[in-house]
């Protein structure tokens, strides 16, 4: 029984674990540090799970040294490792994870990760602890893609945007020197958020993203409009920067060929492609990501302690047409959302049905119109 009195709250001395899963995101380590510190201050014993759900299935728990956490908090990646566990997606894997949770005498779990990781957290609903009480599970949004519902920002997004911006600024130097067209491909899986925001921050000439739903031909037209606006109208522009999200199915090399064919004989320029790839996912977290991770972790661990479960701590969630929720009493910018709702909204973001994604597409098309007038 749960302390014999039906009280769902944790007590001093109870054990919880922190787990990072899926693609790492800068700020995960800062989130781990904050969660461990808040947990310790509440009198909890806080462990780390090695390599996400893979380590959970294998019962790989470890103590978290405050000094190691402090050092890691300044760095990208994740101190306790991460993985994309195929086994955890099966009932067999989940059953093994439940056994390890029992054996380790865990009463709570904090999951830091993206869509797949929070889906895993949801799947642990109903897991029983050694004392017969339900395991409390709280999620933190951490993914550079910013494709999660019920949070305006996920941990890692700001650092990734800054990395892209810096890379594009460097590319602009050489592009300008040679009067070239650069196509810069950035991560984000199926979500164009990083391309969109980096496009605005760098003053890019065109931003290509999957949510736009454009055909290959329309994409080439869009790039050519940017080239014409830059070079033909004597606008004083000496280079063209195109930011392309990796979710656009039109291969960057093929796009270059198509653009080259249309440029030939018309403009004295040439094109280059840079794929930023995993560079975007590494590096020291920005101040914003460190604060975000710390504030979300603070609320998440306190929620867990107070007996909440199956919720995610979200950052000033944008309006999506659903009823709003009161912010946490521990932080006016953080709201606890049921994981079920988070995952439903995330699915809508992926299918393009979410109000947030519709707004993003509209905002970018308005930005494009401003660019070419
Ligand atoms: O979800 C985060 C992310 O970095 C995506 O932007 C990218 O498509 C994917 O992970 C890459 O995954 P992996 O590191 O497994 O190649």
């Amino acid at each position: 029984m749960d302390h014999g009195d039906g009280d769902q709250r944790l007590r001093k001395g109870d054990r919880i674990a922190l787990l990072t899963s899926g693609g790492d995101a800068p700020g995960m380590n800062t989130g781990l540090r904050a969660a461990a510190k808040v947990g310790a201050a509440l009198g909890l014993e806080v462990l780390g799970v090695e390599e996400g759900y893979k380590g959970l299935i294998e019962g790989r728990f470890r103590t978290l040294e405050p000094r190691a956490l402090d050092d890691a908090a300044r760095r990208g990646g994740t101190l306790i490792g991460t993985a994309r566990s195929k086994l955890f997606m099966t009932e067999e894997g989940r059953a093994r994870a439940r056994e390890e949770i029992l054996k380790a005498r865990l009463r709570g779990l904090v999951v830091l990760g993206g869509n797949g990781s929070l889906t895993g957290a949801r799947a642990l609903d109903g897991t029983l602890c050694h004392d017969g009480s339900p395991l409390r599970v709280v999620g933190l949004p951490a993914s550079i893609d910013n494709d999660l519902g019920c949070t305006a920002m996920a941990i890692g997004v700001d650092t990734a945007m800054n990395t892209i911006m810096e890379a594009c600024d460097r590319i602009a130097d050489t592009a300008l020197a040679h009067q070239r067209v650069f196509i810069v491909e950035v991560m984000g899986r199926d979500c164009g958020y990083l391309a969109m925001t980096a496009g605005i921050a760098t003053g890019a000439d065109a931003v290509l993203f999957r949510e736009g739903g454009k055909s290959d031909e329309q994409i080439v037209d869009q790039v050519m409009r940017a080239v014409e606006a830059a070079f033909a109208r004597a606008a004083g522009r000496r280079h063209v920067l195109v930011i392309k999200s990796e979710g656009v199915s039109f291969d960057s090399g093929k796009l270059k060929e198509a653009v080259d064919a249309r440029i030939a004989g018309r403009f004295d320029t040439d094109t280059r492609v840079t794929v930023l790839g995993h560079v975007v996912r590494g590096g020291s977290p920005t101040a914003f990501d460190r604060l975000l991770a710390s504030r979300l972790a603070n609320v998440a661990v306190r929620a867990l302690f107070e007996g909440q479960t199956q919720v995610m701590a979200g950052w000033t969630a944008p309006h999506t047409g659903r009823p709003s929720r009161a912010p946490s009493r521990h932080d006016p910018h953080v709201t606890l959302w049921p994981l079920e709702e988070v995952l439903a909204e995330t699915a809508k973001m992926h299918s393009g049905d979410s109000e947030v994604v519709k707004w993003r597409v509209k905002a970018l098309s308005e930005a494009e119109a401003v660019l070419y007038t």
Side-chain angles (χ1 to χ4, degrees):
M1 282 299 98
D2 195 12
H3 301 299
D5 55 5
D7 185 358
Q8 300 291 302
R9 281 174 298 179
L10 302 194
R11 301 266 167 96
K12 282 191 178 181
D14 278 346
R15 182 180 278 177
I16 67 166
L18 315 178
L19 176 153
T20 51
S21 157
D24 52 287
M28 272 183 166
N29 281 326
T30 327
L32 291 175
R33 174 178 67 177
K37 276 187 190 289
V38 172
L42 293 169
L44 299 172
E45 185 189 353
V46 185
L47 301 177
V49 183
E50 293 176 353
E51 289 183 57
Y53 292 111
K54 184 169 179 270
L56 189 64
I57 290 169
E58 293 163 8
R60 286 194 276 129
F61 300 97
R62 68 149 108 138
T63 53
L64 296 165
E65 299 297 333
R67 247 182 55 195
L69 283 168
D70 266 341
D71 287 346
R74 292 191 294 271
R75 297 196 308 269
T78 160
L79 177 70
I80 52 179
T82 184
R84 301 189 200 275
S85 169
K86 289 214 170 67
L87 184 54
F88 190 73
M89 291 177 192
T90 67
E91 197 32 59
E92 185 210 332
R94 287 169 184 174
R96 278 170 56 184
R98 284 192 194 100
E99 275 171 35
E100 295 300 332
I101 287 166
L102 266 180
K103 270 201 262 170
R105 303 174 73 81
L106 289 189
R107 296 205 69 222
L109 185 69
V110 179
V111 175
L112 290 86
N115 189 16
S117 314
L118 298 179
T119 304
R122 179 86 190 102
L124 286 173
D125 192 25
T127 301
L128 292 182
C129 305
H130 59 285
D131 62 354
S133 68
L135 180 80
R136 315 313 186 269
V137 185
V138 175
L140 294 188
S143 164
I144 62 162
D145 299 347
N146 217 23
D147 61 344
L148 289 166
C150 307
T151 188
M153 290 289 272
I155 297 164
V157 177
D158 187 62
T159 307
M161 281 192 304
N162 276 283
T163 303
I164 296 171
M165 188 182 72
E166 200 179 304
C168 288
D169 285 351
R170 285 166 191 248
I171 283 170
D173 289 345
T174 174
L176 221 148
H178 288 266
Q179 199 160 346
R180 275 179 174 154
V181 177
F182 262 86
I183 299 165
V184 181
E185 187 182 305
V186 301
M187 268 194 174
R189 207 187 287 269
D190 289 332
C191 178
Y193 185 86
L194 284 178
M196 294 172 181
T197 50
I200 291 173
T202 58
D205 300 272
V207 183
L208 312 175
F209 44 90
R210 181 191 67 94
E211 297 91 324
K214 289 185 177 159
S215 66
D216 292 359
E217 208 183 319
Q218 286 171 321
I219 288 174
V220 179
D221 285 346
Q222 185 184 347
V223 175
M224 285 312 296
R225 261 203 314 280
V227 172
E228 280 155 15
F231 297 144
R233 292 190 202 162
R237 187 94 167 149
R238 280 185 49 88
H239 75 288
V240 173
L241 175 64
V242 178
I243 303 190
K244 174 179 178 278
S245 176
E246 68 173 343
V248 174
S249 60
F250 195 1
D251 175 76
S252 295
K254 296 227 163 64
L255 171 60
K256 173 188 165 11
E257 280 170 25
V259 170
D260 282 345
R262 300 245 314 248
I263 281 176
R266 288 186 64 204
F267 299 104
D268 186 16
T269 184
D270 51 5
T271 59
R272 292 287 185 273
V273 174
T274 300
V275 178
L276 293 182
H278 288 78
V279 167
V280 168
R281 218 165 70 190
S284 180
T286 57
F288 178 81
D289 266 329
R290 296 183 199 197
L291 268 175
L292 177 69
S294 303
R295 290 174 70 170
L296 294 178
N298 173 45
V299 171
V301 174
R302 289 181 191 280
L304 202 74
F305 189 72
E306 288 161 10
Q308 297 224 41
T309 187
Q310 289 295 316
V311 288
M312 181 196 83
W315 182 254
T316 53
H319 180 65
T320 54
R322 61 177 184 266
S324 58
R325 284 171 188 275
S328 156
R329 68 188 174 89
H330 300 293
D331 191 323
H333 279 287
V334 181
T335 303
L336 290 161
W337 293 92
L339 277 178
E340 201 175 359
E341 212 168 311
V342 171
L343 295 174
E345 181 58 26
T346 302
K348 279 196 193 169
M349 290 179 78
H350 288 210
S351 67
D353 294 329
S354 125
E355 293 304 318
V356 173
V357 170
K358 285 182 194 158
W359 178 83
R360 287 178 186 172
V361 173
K362 184 168 156 278
L364 262 287
S365 88
E366 282 171 6
E368 199 189 337
V370 169
L371 207 60
Y372 303 141
T373 48

